[in-house]
Amino acid sequence: EDQVTQSPEALRLQEGESSSLNCSYTVSGLRGLFWYRQDPGKGPEFLFTLYSAGEEKEKERLKATLTKKESFLHITAPKPEDSATYLCAVRHGSSNTGKLIFGQGTTLQVKP
Amino acid sequence: DAGVIQSPRHEVTEMGQEVTLRCKPISGHNSLFWYRQTMMRGLELLIYFNNNVPIDDSGMPEDRFSAKMPNASFSTLKIQPSEPRDSAVYFCASSFGQGILFFGSGTQLSVL
């Protein structure tokens, strides 16, 4: 069964304290791993898509990496405005649809 | 572009009442998704349309839930009769083909 597991569930950091969020997946043929950011009361907002092991993408203080079994979202020198829930999702190859399967998310709090 | 537009933003109703949630996807997108988000289960895909045709409704919890997409610019998700366990945030998302999903702001549903 396709599964996406994110850890930790919650993470508290001091401003400037770098860390990483993990997304482990088991899918039958990965056709894309997606990272989204969700702020309270809003819908998920797209951050990155990764397609193959070894791929990396960066945006400001965020960098996403991908292996054959997991993805990491590295946050370098975070600021309070990075506080949000970060969601990982996968699109699997056995399906000809565009649907995404989401993990439970990691709620990040960055204190000044 | 205004993005994916959902209405209403909040809905409070009593058990047994009919609830209709509405979604206007991004113009030009040909895929539309309805997701439900709860603390316990995270983001779950309910149903997926491609070119206005329902492709995958395996996530629809039971016959009380129905969804329609009469044209490329409008979709509804109906719950009849509603139950307290239906309380959740319902998101609509759209994409072009198997591209990035763009989410609306969601409808917060409370069934008393």
Side-chain angles (χ1 to χ4, degrees):
Chain A
E1 181 182 339
D2 299 329
Q3 197 166 9
V4 181
T5 305
Q6 291 188 245
S7 62
E9 288 186 16
L11 182 62
R12 290 184 178 182
L13 299 173
Q14 288 296 129
E15 183 172 2
E17 180 186 2
S18 302
S19 188
S20 297
L21 282 54
N22 178 262
C23 172
S24 299
Y25 62 90
T26 52
V27 294
S28 52
L30 182 70
R31 292 175 66 184
L33 185 140
F34 297 73
W35 282 99
Y36 281 81
R37 169 187 171 131
Q38 186 174 23
D39 292 299
K42 296 187 177 181
E45 180 182 340
F46 171 76
L47 291 173
F48 304 108
T49 309
L50 303 166
Y51 290 101
S52 56
E55 189 176 357
E56 298 183 353
K57 293 220 175 140
E58 287 188 64
K59 180 181 179 180
E60 296 181 354
R61 295 176 293 281
L62 301 177
K63 183 169 85 171
T65 61
L66 181 65
T67 72
K68 290 185 178 181
K69 294 183 178 180
E70 58 191 350
S71 176
F72 291 93
L73 185 64
H74 306 279
I75 303 176
T76 302
K79 298 182 178 182
E81 54 261 42
D82 294 323
S83 298
T85 295
Y86 291 86
L87 297 164
C88 167
V90 297
R91 177 174 288 149
H92 60 93
S94 62
S95 167
N96 61 359
T97 74
K99 70 180 184 181
L100 297 182
I101 301 170
F102 281 85
Q104 293 281 76
T106 294
T107 299
L108 172 65
Q109 184 180 25
V110 182
K111 295 188 173 183
Chain B
D1 198 319
V4 176
I5 300 173
Q6 291 187 246
S7 64
R9 287 282 282 133
H10 302 276
E11 177 80 36
V12 180
T13 190
E14 292 188 350
M15 182 174 63
Q17 295 298 306
E18 177 180 296
V19 175
T20 300
L21 311 182
R22 297 171 176 80
C23 175
K24 175 178 169 57
I26 292 173
S27 177
H29 284 187
N30 62 349
S31 297
L32 184 139
F33 307 79
W34 282 101
Y35 280 86
R36 177 171 68 177
Q37 187 174 41
T38 61
M39 289 292 291
M40 289 293 294
R41 301 175 68 90
L43 264 172
E44 300 175 283
L45 179 66
L46 300 177
I47 187 168
Y48 158 62
F49 292 86
N50 189 43
N51 293 323
N52 311 337
V53 176
I55 302 299
D56 182 351
D57 65 354
S58 58
M60 295 287 261
E62 46 197 277
D63 291 345
R64 298 185 297 105
F65 285 69
S66 63
K68 293 182 180 179
M69 192 164 186
N71 56 62
S73 59
F74 185 66
S75 177
T76 60
L77 178 67
K78 186 177 294 185
I79 307 172
Q80 166 63 19
S82 58
E83 296 183 2
R85 61 191 167 123
D86 302 330
S87 298
V89 181
Y90 290 80
F91 286 104
C92 176
S94 70
S95 72
F96 179 73
Q98 295 195 25
I100 299 165
L101 267 64
F102 291 86
F103 285 79
S105 296
T107 295
Q108 174 76 58
L109 174 64
S110 297
V111 183
L112 307 176

